[in-house]
Amino acid sequence: MSAEKIAIIGAGLAGSVLARTLVDAGADVCVIEKSGGTGGRLATRRTEHGAFNHGAQYLAAKTAPFRAMLTGLSHAGSVDVWAPAEKDRDAVWHIGKPGMSGVVKPLLAGIDLKSRTRVTELIADGDQVALKVQDDNLGLFDRVIVTAPAPQAFDLTVALDPVFQSLASVRYAPCWTAMAVFKGFDAVPEFVRGKANDAIGWMATAFKTEGKTGLVVQAGADWSCDHLELPKEEAAGLIIEAVQQRFDAPAPVHLDAHRWRYSLVERPLGTAFLASRSERVFVAGDGLLGGRAESAFESARQLGDHLKTLLA
């Protein structure tokens, strides 16, 4: 009997955990990712000056399964502990190596990955599902798992089964993230936690090298919502202006920004995953369970366990 062909849309933490789980269970897995990299919000932006973790800044485990995964990744050399002097939580903070996107790379090792590929439509075809990308077709799959943010998952799945209409209730807070490099700016905290209505909701030192200091500055959720549609140059300028005023920073020699429309889950669905009546199409991810990376992992873990019973 041939292995089931399973497509996973999204190479973030949930998609990567599912990919590894299902490959290990004997499935033929293809991961489709719209961007050029993997990790989703476990993101690393590399520049000529240095690398910025411009999405999730660290991972902390509350449950044994997530802690076990992080321990395994630590043994593999892709996760390390981060303990800045200003750390204000008791939990152990884990960071990816060499950047946060490194967390998922061991999970995806050896798995078929199609990057820079945007799925535009799912089409039911008998007992299988066809994936349309731009003006092409990726072929037929026995099962499809969507791990994109809930609004994007809704658009792809709602026409296939009414169960996916519930995804419309999921709400996210956005986040503007600025990435800046300064010269002669050494006396800066390694980590600063701000407020939701501030341009500085979170600030962390990305690197210090050759007289340069790189900072990641994530605006607070309320501030980001109020300034969501600004051009990125303007948003970055306002954020760094706040840094200059608070820390007497010089003008940056490099400045960029990224807008996360779906940054933090404010209203999750409240269930680990959704399945069509045919159990051919599934949705998983942090939008199902909550606003932490661990929620994405837990959603994927529970769906993976369910799918393993179907593949047995």
Side-chain angles (χ1 to χ4, degrees), residues 62-80:
K62 290 186 175 181
T63 62
F66 194 49
R67 189 174 298 112
M69 188 194 78
L70 292 175
T71 299
L73 292 172
S74 178
H75 291 160
S78 60
V79 164
D80 204 350

Side-chain angles (χ1 to χ4, degrees), residues 36-272:
T38 57
R41 279 162 280 173
L42 302 181
T44 304
R45 177 78 58 85
R46 292 177 173 82
T47 73
E48 61 181 314
H49 302 281
F52 299 87
N53 291 325
H54 64 295
Q57 298 291 293
Y58 66 87
L59 301 175
K62 290 186 175 181
T63 62
F66 194 49
R67 189 174 298 112
M69 188 194 78
L70 292 175
T71 299
L73 292 172
S74 178
H75 291 160
S78 60
V79 164
D80 204 350
V81 172
W82 181 42
E86 300 82 8
K87 184 170 178 285
D88 59 352
R89 298 287 189 274
D90 291 335
V92 178
W93 290 0
H94 301 269
I95 56 173
K97 295 174 61 180
M100 287 301 290
S101 60
V103 171
V104 305
K105 294 189 185 303
L107 301 174
L108 294 170
I111 294 175
D112 182 20
L113 171 67
K114 300 186 185 302
S115 59
R116 301 190 188 281
T117 303
R118 183 185 293 271
V119 177
T120 58
E121 188 178 5
L122 304 182
I123 304 169
D125 190 333
D127 289 336
Q128 293 180 303
V129 181
L131 270 65
K132 186 174 181 180
V133 293
Q134 287 85 35
D135 297 321
D136 199 2
N137 196 312
L138 283 182
L140 294 172
F141 293 85
D142 298 303
R143 304 183 199 274
V144 175
I145 306 168
V146 183
T147 66
Q152 298 171 354
F154 174 90
D155 290 342
L156 284 173
T157 61
V158 69
L160 298 176
D161 194 303
V163 70
F164 298 117
Q165 291 177 356
S166 61
L167 291 168
S169 68
V170 177
R171 292 288 181 268
Y172 293 80
C175 179
W176 268 114
T177 300
M179 293 154 276
V181 179
F182 301 88
K183 286 185 177 180
F185 184 41
D186 297 325
V188 57
E190 190 175 357
F191 147 67
V192 172
R193 191 185 298 275
K195 299 179 180 179
N197 61 351
D198 286 348
I200 304 174
W202 168 282
M203 188 177 83
T205 300
F207 56 84
K208 287 186 177 182
T209 179
E210 298 177 350
K212 296 178 182 178
T213 299
L215 295 182
V216 172
V217 190
Q218 296 179 327
D222 295 344
W223 190 97
S224 295
C225 189
D226 291 342
H227 298 82
L228 186 60
E229 300 305 332
L230 283 182
K232 73 173 185 176
E233 294 81 7
E234 290 186 31
L238 290 173
I239 294 169
I240 294 307
E241 183 179 317
V243 173
Q244 292 172 314
Q245 291 175 351
R246 181 168 174 181
F247 298 100
D248 195 25
V253 298
H254 170 85
L255 181 59
D256 198 3
H258 183 88
R259 175 174 49 202
W260 298 99
R261 286 191 180 274
Y262 308 113
S263 174
L264 178 65
V265 180
E266 293 187 315
R267 186 202 299 165
L269 190 60
T271 187

